[in-house]
Amino acid sequence: MSGRFVAGMTVDDALGASERVNRDAIAVTLDALGESVTTEAEARASAAVYHQMLDAIAARRLNANVSLKLSQMGMDFDPALAETIVGELVEHATRVDSFVRIDMEGSPYTEATIAMAERLHAKYNGRVGTVLQAYLFRTAVDAERLLGQGIRIRLCKGAYKEPAEIAFPLKADVDENYVNLAERMMTSGVFCGIATHDEAIVERLVAFVREHSVPKSAFEFQMLYGIRRDLQRRLAKQGFGVRVYVPFGPEWYPYFMRRLAERPANVLFLMKNFLKS
């Protein structure tokens, strides 16, 4: 089952999967799985994989970039080290004409992640972006903050378990907030990623784009590797930008177990998509 959603163990596995995805006119973001490292050596080793990927993407001329987590780069024990490591990766991405997405983790990381993206964007304009989660109450304000600086946002619903004091507890409220935020981002003039597998939301946003003459170049739809491949290909054939997040690496098992333990509903989501094309 994991082979459906994880590209493999090695960088070469991930690059091969990226080439296959690219053949469907779909872009890729590569994500080397791994979180919550505890030593500088582990953080540096994680970064080395990303440096290798950035060079390989350029050498193979893939339509791809990379996404990383701050806890993977030492954020939990040395925030300054994490920023140095991520800064080195963004500088590398600048040299090879690529892009680094700083992924969002649970709410304890939200402010620090946004602030780091702001500092690195000021130094490497257009080469770094981050992620916002629609289930958090604060996200509308955070979106305006980032859009005002021209920082690219990937909008997702949110996969971590969060308390009702800071996040919408009802799916219907999350969905409505997601659509409102997506419409704001798509018309902001800042290129954004609309990350959802919810076909009803996709249809609402496609209708919005047509009604308001939003250029397809203003945004892209983003989905996970192995999930709703039919929808990915259909949107690409309609001329929309589509990007697939391709996770890989030996840390796939603890990654999946953490996600499933945090939100048991994720089990049903994966099983439903395992049975789809």
Side-chain angles (χ1 to χ4, degrees):
M1 180 177 174
S2 64
R4 169 67 180 269
F5 306 111
V6 178
M9 296 293 120
T10 68
V11 171
D12 281 341
D13 290 336
L15 294 171
S18 299
E19 290 174 339
R20 292 191 293 274
V21 171
N22 279 177
R23 285 198 286 270
D24 288 326
I26 296 173
V28 164
T29 287
L30 289 170
D31 182 359
L33 296 175
E35 301 173 39
S36 303
V37 302
T38 58
T39 68
E40 180 173 351
E42 290 176 331
R44 293 285 183 186
S46 296
V49 174
Y50 279 91
H51 284 292
Q52 180 184 354
M53 285 195 294
L54 286 168
D55 284 334
I57 287 168
R60 298 196 187 196
R61 298 183 179 180
L62 296 174
N63 184 359
N65 56 36
V66 300
S67 174
L68 57 83
K69 287 182 169 60
L70 292 183
S71 67
Q72 195 176 6
M73 303 298 161
M75 190 71 175
D76 290 337
F77 62 89
D78 191 341
L81 171 67
E83 186 157 348
T84 296
I85 289 174
V86 177
E88 291 168 352
L89 285 165
V90 178
E91 190 276 332
H92 189 166
T94 302
R95 284 190 281 109
V96 296
D97 192 24
S98 192
F99 177 82
V100 174
R101 179 83 63 188
I102 304 176
D103 208 348
M104 189 60 74
E105 300 178 70
S107 57
Y109 294 87
T110 302
E111 180 58 33
T113 301
I114 291 171
M116 188 185 296
E118 289 174 322
R119 291 190 294 271
L120 292 176
H121 173 78
K123 189 172 182 180
Y124 303 103
N125 191 338
R127 298 299 178 175
V128 63
T130 191
V131 179
L132 295 181
Q133 299 164 319
Y135 65 176
L136 296 180
F137 296 148
R138 63 175 286 170
T139 298
V141 173
D142 290 336
E144 295 301 329
R145 171 179 169 182
L146 292 170
L147 293 173
Q149 298 171 74
I151 297 175
R152 289 164 57 176
I153 299 167
R154 176 182 190 247
L155 179 66
C156 66
K157 290 185 183 180
Y160 295 82
K161 185 176 177 59
E162 299 290 359
E165 292 76 22
I166 66 170
F168 294 101
L170 298 179
K171 179 182 182 300
D173 293 333
V174 176
D175 288 354
E176 196 59 31
N177 196 44
Y178 186 96
V179 171
N180 291 336
L181 290 166
E183 291 176 352
R184 169 69 183 106
M185 292 177 191
M186 294 161 77
T187 55
S188 68
V190 179
F191 185 81
C192 58
I194 306 302
T196 181
H197 307 93
D198 189 325
E199 193 163 1
I201 286 180
V202 170
E203 289 175 355
R204 284 182 65 180
L205 294 176
V206 167
F208 176 84
V209 164
R210 290 171 177 160
E211 181 180 350
H212 295 273
S213 300
V214 178
K216 292 178 179 177
S217 59
F219 68 98
E220 65 186 10
F221 287 109
Q222 297 186 354
M223 300 183 193
L224 296 172
Y225 182 71
I227 297 179
R228 290 310 311 266
R229 293 180 295 194
D230 57 331
L231 182 57
Q232 295 169 17
R233 291 165 180 157
R234 185 163 77 245
L235 288 168
K237 287 179 180 177
Q238 292 173 1
F240 290 100
V242 180
R243 183 176 299 274
V244 170
Y245 267 56
V246 176
F248 73 96
E251 291 295 311
W252 68 269
Y253 184 77
Y255 169 82
F256 268 140
M257 290 303 102
R258 277 193 294 270
R259 293 294 83 77
L260 299 181
E262 286 164 352
R263 296 190 71 185
N266 289 341
V267 177
L268 181 59
F269 174 75
L270 288 177
M271 288 305 298
K272 284 182 176 178
N273 282 281
F274 185 71
L275 299 174
K276 293 180 180 179
S277 62

